Amino acid sequence: MAIMSNNMLGLIFANLHDDTISDLTKMRTMGSVPFGARYRLIDFPLSNMVNSGISSVGVITKANYQSLLDHLGSGGEWDLSRKTGGLKLLPPYGHVGGGLYRGRMEALHGVENYIAESNAEYVLMTDCNVIVNLDYNHILEYHIEKEADITIVYGHGSYTVEQMQTKTAFGVDADGRINDVLIFPNKEGEFNTSMNMYICKRDFLMELITETASRNLYSFEVDVIQHKHKEYKIYGYRYNGYYEQIDGNLSYFAANMALMSQEKRSILFPQRRPIYTKVRDEAPAKYGIEADVCNSLVADGCIIEGKVENCLLFRGVQVGKGAMLKNCIIMQDTVIGDKSEMNYVITDKDVKVGAYRSLFGTEDYPVFVGKAASV
Amino acid sequence: MYHVKKECVAMILAGGQGSRLYALTQDMAKPAVHYGGKYRLIDFPLSNCVNSGIDTVGVLTQYQPLVLNEYIGNGHPWGLDRVHGGVHMLSPYESQGGKNWYTGSATAIYQNIQFVDRYNPDYITLLAGDHIYKMDYSLMLDYHKKQKADATIAVIEVPWEEASRFGIMTANENGVITEFAEKPAEPKSNLASMGVYIYSWKVLKKYLIANENDPAAKKDFGGNIIPDMLKDGCKMVAYNFDGYWKDVGTIDSLWEANMDLLNPNIPLDLHDHNWRVYSRNPVMPPHYAGENSFIENSMVAEGCNIEGRVDFSILFAGVKIEKGATVRDSIIMPNTVVKSGAVIEYTVVGEDCVIGEKAHIGERPEAIQDKDSWGVAVIGHQIEISPETKIKPKAMISENI
């Protein structure tokens, strides 16, 4: 496994899909959106890459990437602080002529030198909006077996009209080759939907970059997959395991709440394939005399003196005496005052909620409180 | 090779066995003992050093060093992976003069004079690796300089009735130490040495060499170095510390020191962001408090899964408390599983243990007639307790039952 995987260069697109959860990406990239009481979305693709033996990872950013830089640092927490390879942040304007990109192909064009300098045979590209724990080597094996030009990972399920407004769907033939591509089809039903993970040979990608750039084409989905699937051998790899895809506030909320399931947690966080994240050196969570917590995920550094039910509490959250939280996602260092009541609320980092406040959202419309706001 | 000069180098004595912790220190030195839900004892002196601006630290190991060596590694979790200085593990070694174990604290430092000299320091901070406290050594160093002292010894007031357990200092109104007595039967003062010393390196080096060359001398600081310096008229001053400080020499004191974290009246705040205690963090998801869990007045680390009842307890990372299990007034170390229906009371359970269904470990003092037979029970590391086993209070279990 190790030998083969050294053949892969990892590329993560940290900014794609930002607009699907615009509240949370107002001040950050999709990759640095907090998730699961402790993580940022980018922790999943990064950890999956490391667990698959990939030791060179480039992170392509566009805007708002201060929080991403803070989170990733030198990559040591993912074991990517290496002499050779390791983590490389690839912001826009990285070289003369590079600028803000309009789509995936243009972003790749902007980091062409980084890709060219690698000696990996294959490139694995992924976005940050899928929560999954998978071994990319399985996809590479499939890609090699099919002698494909590009392999795309997809899941299968039935979706609502709203869900299909942000997804790309594929038709695949009996051999697994993609023969139809629907981008944001506005209809409900059963679909093969893209998980936004791609493998191809590095040489092939370099040619593709040159080809699309010379024609001023910038979209991978439209200009390559949709228009060229007859010309190139584009295969779909069907992933049947558990995953969550975030493409809106509701799916973000649901993906977090899904972690209350022991079974799902054991799939996403197995001991031998851990999900790494930035360390914050917090003391263990402290429960006070009147704490009453059930069905909740609680990170280190929390101090809980109130009632908490069906909630995710990120690191350093404080819940005052007599406070009642239900169905909430409370991010890092938020302080909830005594006797406040909240139901279906998402608070961003560093929010202060005073004493005796009430905030109520609903299951299909959680209230969002922005970063460092005071309520 | 050129070494950047350091004003102050710290040396941490971490070779102790901690024999009175029995099963808990069978495979690890005492400074590696777990504490407070995610720490090991050595995190405290290491974090104090870093927070006090000391970036060059020698850790002297001898007894069972594997766990400690692995834990400290390159020092990264404490910010001690430095280009100049950083943390260094110093084990006894063989030289042309022969093989020398660290037979005493003075010998241990003597054998590492070369290490200290590389940094050409003006001062050396000598620390114990197994005490729990948050202290700014830079303030103590300022005091040492202001007093123009040769040695400064941090002292803390202890209750008079306990004073005979400590090294006791008598100091005059200027803070100058006039007398030192190691575990005196009739203490003249209640100022106990905390095992935190600052020496002017030139002076100490002279005494270390003289002490080592004197065959009659005891090879530790309390036995000879401090008394000799006093006798020769070196200026030794006491530095008063009034924060929380605990020496966890016994099972009872280890249990108590953990429980202190749950007592709001005890001034040891681990949540203080201005003085973080660093440690090697486990890579685990946040802990999960289940549908039927009941957790009160406890500390719970990441990776725990709690379906049962937890009260006045400290749970380390990855502990699993199954449905219907109860943990009360106890400390459960990493990755231990408490099966359903089991009851644990007043017990310290080691890491990677499995407590079988309906087992009952320890007892509350109220439930026992004969108070002398009561005490905190201990289950060592990697122990399996079979279902429905009853383990008495004060028991010390180091084999599967």
Side-chain angles (χ1 to χ4, degrees):
Chain A
M1 173 184 133
I3 293 162
M4 191 201 315
S5 53
N6 281 336
N7 269 337
M8 274 196 281
L9 168 71
L11 282 177
I12 298 178
F13 294 86
N15 276 88
L16 295 177
H17 319 287
D18 282 4
D19 50 334
T20 60
I21 44 172
S22 50
D23 286 337
L24 283 160
T25 53
K26 207 163 150 194
M27 312 246 236
R28 54 170 78 89
T29 66
M30 189 73 180
S32 44
V33 165
F35 178 80
R38 184 169 197 261
Y39 302 96
R40 305 276 186 151
L41 292 180
I42 198 168
D43 292 336
F44 289 87
L46 256 189
S47 302
N48 285 332
M49 285 183 179
V50 170
N51 291 334
S52 304
I54 296 176
S55 57
S56 292
V57 180
V59 177
I60 300 173
T61 64
K62 185 176 189 178
N64 274 339
Y65 52 82
Q66 183 62 51
S67 62
L68 191 70
L69 297 182
D70 290 347
H71 183 65
L72 296 176
S74 65
E77 266 118 2
W78 297 265
D79 199 17
L80 283 173
S81 176
R82 306 275 182 103
K83 275 269 182 211
T84 48
L87 183 75
K88 194 81 93 202
L89 277 145
L90 305 167
Y93 305 107
H95 66 102
V96 177
L100 286 181
Y101 53 83
R102 289 171 291 176
R104 197 184 299 273
M105 285 317 299
E106 208 161 62
L108 288 167
H109 187 230
V111 299
E112 200 180 4
N113 290 344
Y114 175 73
I115 302 170
E117 279 165 18
S118 164
N119 52 15
E121 190 174 357
Y122 298 94
V123 180
L124 168 81
M125 294 177 278
T126 172
D127 299 348
C128 290
N129 69 334
V130 170
I131 315 288
V132 69
N133 191 319
L134 66 77
D135 187 343
Y136 295 131
N137 288 303
H138 298 323
I139 304 158
L140 180 60
E141 280 162 26
Y142 178 87
H143 177 79
I144 292 169
E145 182 200 315
K146 295 290 179 189
E147 294 175 342
D149 292 318
I150 302 170
T151 297
I152 305 176
V153 186
Y154 70 88
H156 183 90
S158 50
Y159 303 93
T160 63
V161 177
E162 288 78 24
Q163 283 173 320
M164 289 313 293
Q165 281 165 0
T166 56
K167 289 188 195 291
T168 298
F170 303 124
V172 284
D173 69 16
D175 189 38
R177 186 165 171 176
I178 288 174
N179 56 17
D180 193 15
V181 179
L182 303 165
I183 296 169
F184 306 161
N186 206 1
K187 54 185 174 190
E188 65 179 355
E190 270 195 34
F191 291 98
N192 300 315
T193 56
S194 175
M195 288 170 68
N196 310 313
M197 296 170 193
Y198 316 94
I199 283 183
C200 61
K201 275 208 162 137
R202 192 174 57 92
D203 292 345
F204 177 84
L205 185 64
M206 294 298 296
E207 280 169 29
L208 207 56
I209 291 168
T210 314
E211 159 85 13
T212 48
S214 67
R215 293 174 196 275
N216 194 26
L217 302 172
Y218 53 83
S219 168
F220 184 67
E221 283 82 354
V222 176
D223 300 321
V224 179
I225 310 176
Q226 196 167 46
H227 292 165
K228 297 280 177 72
H229 66 77
K230 290 201 177 80
E231 189 178 330
Y232 301 135
K233 284 175 77 179
I234 304 181
Y235 273 78
Y237 173 93
R238 179 162 165 168
Y239 179 69
N240 291 317
Y242 168 68
Y243 74 97
E244 299 276 349
Q245 191 155 13
I246 292 169
D247 43 21
N249 287 337
L250 288 180
S251 59
Y252 172 79
F253 191 79
N256 274 285
M257 289 300 165
L259 295 178
M260 301 307 173
S261 150
Q262 163 71 44
E263 193 196 339
K264 287 174 180 168
R265 278 202 313 283
S266 63
I267 294 170
L268 286 180
F269 307 109
Q271 221 174 5
R272 63 196 163 78
R273 299 175 51 82
I275 302 298
Y276 300 92
T277 189
K278 186 184 173 187
V279 159
R280 231 177 69 124
D281 290 296
E282 291 280 359
K286 197 165 175 176
Y287 287 74
I289 301 249
E290 285 159 60
D292 179 2
V293 180
C294 75
N295 198 39
S296 295
L297 277 172
V298 181
D300 273 1
C302 289
I303 299 177
I304 308 172
E305 306 200 73
K307 197 172 151 77
V308 177
E309 195 182 328
N310 303 335
C311 293
L312 291 98
L313 308 186
F314 282 68
R315 294 186 273 203
V317 165
Q318 294 182 26
V319 181
K321 285 196 180 90
M324 301 237 297
L325 305 186
K326 259 187 175 180
N327 310 306
C328 292
I329 298 173
I330 309 293
M331 292 181 195
Q332 206 164 295
D333 294 327
T334 287
V335 178
I336 314 284
D338 293 351
K339 304 250 160 105
S340 279
E341 285 187 45
M342 290 160 67
N343 195 358
Y344 290 107
V345 177
I346 301 174
T347 68
D348 206 318
K349 282 173 71 175
D350 299 317
V351 168
K352 303 260 173 300
V353 178
Y356 297 97
R357 305 286 135 172
S358 297
L359 281 172
F360 296 106
T362 60
E363 193 171 356
D364 46 8
Y365 202 89
V367 171
F368 178 81
V369 184
K371 192 171 170 182
S374 282
V375 180
Chain B
M1 188 185 159
Y2 173 72
H3 288 85
V4 172
K5 178 184 166 65
K6 301 283 177 182
E7 186 190 27
C8 186
V9 166
M11 297 292 268
I12 302 180
L13 297 164
Q17 180 180 357
S19 54
R20 286 171 300 160
L21 293 175
Y22 309 100
L24 296 176
T25 50
Q26 210 168 312
D27 302 319
M28 61 178 85
K30 191 177 157 199
V33 166
H34 294 287
Y35 170 78
K38 77 179 284 194
Y39 307 96
R40 293 182 188 262
L41 297 179
I42 195 144
D43 289 329
F44 288 86
L46 279 178
S47 302
N48 285 341
C49 281
V50 170
N51 290 334
S52 307
I54 299 175
D55 62 11
T56 306
V57 182
V59 178
L60 299 130
T61 63
Q62 179 158 286
Y63 173 80
Q64 289 283 21
L66 175 65
V67 173
L68 199 58
N69 282 337
E70 183 190 38
Y71 183 68
I72 292 177
N74 69 349
H76 178 74
W78 302 268
L80 285 172
D81 52 336
R82 305 292 293 256
V83 173
H84 302 290
V87 68
H88 297 261
M89 306 303 286
L90 304 171
S91 53
Y93 56 89
E94 185 179 357
S95 64
Q96 287 182 345
K99 298 169 184 149
N100 297 298
W101 290 102
Y102 294 158
T103 45
S105 52
T107 306
I109 305 296
Y110 170 82
Q111 288 190 33
N112 290 289
I113 285 177
Q114 267 186 316
F115 168 78
V116 179
D117 273 345
R118 286 171 168 237
Y119 301 99
N120 186 24
D122 302 313
Y123 310 101
I124 171 172
T125 304
L126 185 63
L127 304 165
D130 49 7
H131 294 164
I132 299 161
Y133 64 112
K134 299 199 296 186
M135 181 177 182
D136 190 341
Y137 305 136
S138 72
L139 300 177
M140 182 168 161
L141 183 59
D142 290 345
Y143 183 76
H144 179 86
K145 290 187 216 167
K146 199 178 109 202
Q147 284 274 24
K148 298 194 169 61
D150 297 311
T152 301
I153 301 176
V155 294
I156 188 163
E157 277 187 40
V158 294
W160 278 97
E161 60 273 20
E162 287 179 28
S164 55
R165 285 176 40 217
F166 296 93
I168 294 295
M169 306 289 160
T170 312
N172 68 19
E173 69 279 9
N174 298 323
V176 175
I177 294 169
T178 53
E179 210 181 318
F180 164 75
E182 185 72 59
K183 297 180 184 159
E186 283 171 36
K188 288 184 186 164
S189 143
N190 66 338
L191 291 180
S193 165
M194 294 165 59
V196 175
Y197 310 89
I198 291 179
Y199 291 95
S200 296
W201 175 235
K202 267 188 203 142
V203 180
L204 179 66
K205 192 171 149 186
K206 201 178 82 189
Y207 277 89
L208 286 172
I209 294 168
N211 184 63
E212 197 63 25
N213 292 333
D214 176 0
K218 293 177 189 155
K219 307 297 187 201
D220 63 64
F221 278 79
N224 267 94
I225 302 272
I226 297 172
D228 286 357
M229 287 178 78
L230 262 183
K231 200 173 67 199
D232 294 351
C234 288
K235 186 169 183 186
M236 307 185 82
V237 299
Y239 177 77
N240 284 284
F241 178 75
D242 57 6
Y244 178 91
W245 175 83
K246 193 116 186 170
D247 175 8
V248 286
T250 62
I251 293 294
D252 283 351
S253 62
L254 178 67
W255 180 85
E256 259 171 45
N258 275 282
M259 291 304 147
D260 282 348
L261 292 172
L262 305 177
N263 183 344
N265 299 320
I266 286 193
L268 179 64
D269 181 9
L270 298 180
H271 287 85
D272 178 8
H273 286 175
N274 295 317
W275 197 275
R276 281 188 204 266
V277 181
Y278 300 99
S279 64
R280 201 169 275 278
N281 285 257
V283 182
M284 289 190 184
H287 77 256
Y288 174 69
E291 299 259 18
N292 303 305
S293 69
F294 176 90
I295 310 165
E296 209 175 64
N297 210 49
S298 293
M299 274 178 104
V300 181
E302 290 183 322
C304 289
N305 250 315
I306 303 166
E307 297 284 355
R309 193 182 168 97
V310 177
D311 209 356
F312 279 92
S313 294
I314 309 252
L315 307 189
F316 284 74
V319 164
K320 199 171 170 194
I321 310 292
E322 290 189 357
K323 223 178 241 177
T326 300
V327 177
R328 225 181 257 139
D329 301 287
S330 293
I331 297 149
I332 317 282
M333 292 179 179
N335 301 317
T336 283
V337 179
V338 180
K339 297 272 189 189
S340 71
V343 176
I344 298 178
E345 297 175 309
Y346 287 90
T347 301
V348 179
V349 183
E351 56 185 41
D352 301 312
C353 293
V354 179
I355 309 299
E357 285 176 27
K358 295 184 186 156
H360 192 133
I361 321 255
E363 195 71 77
R364 280 182 288 177
E366 305 91 275
I368 290 256
Q369 293 290 329
D370 173 18
K371 297 295 177 211
D372 287 340
S373 66
W374 183 84
V376 172
V378 178
I379 312 288
H381 303 301
Q382 292 97 35
I383 303 287
E384 282 190 34
I385 304 290
S386 38
E388 301 188 34
T389 307
K390 192 166 163 49
I391 300 214
K392 285 189 187 142
K394 226 176 178 172
M396 181 79 57
I397 308 297
S398 49
E399 274 170 29
N400 293 352
I401 290 190

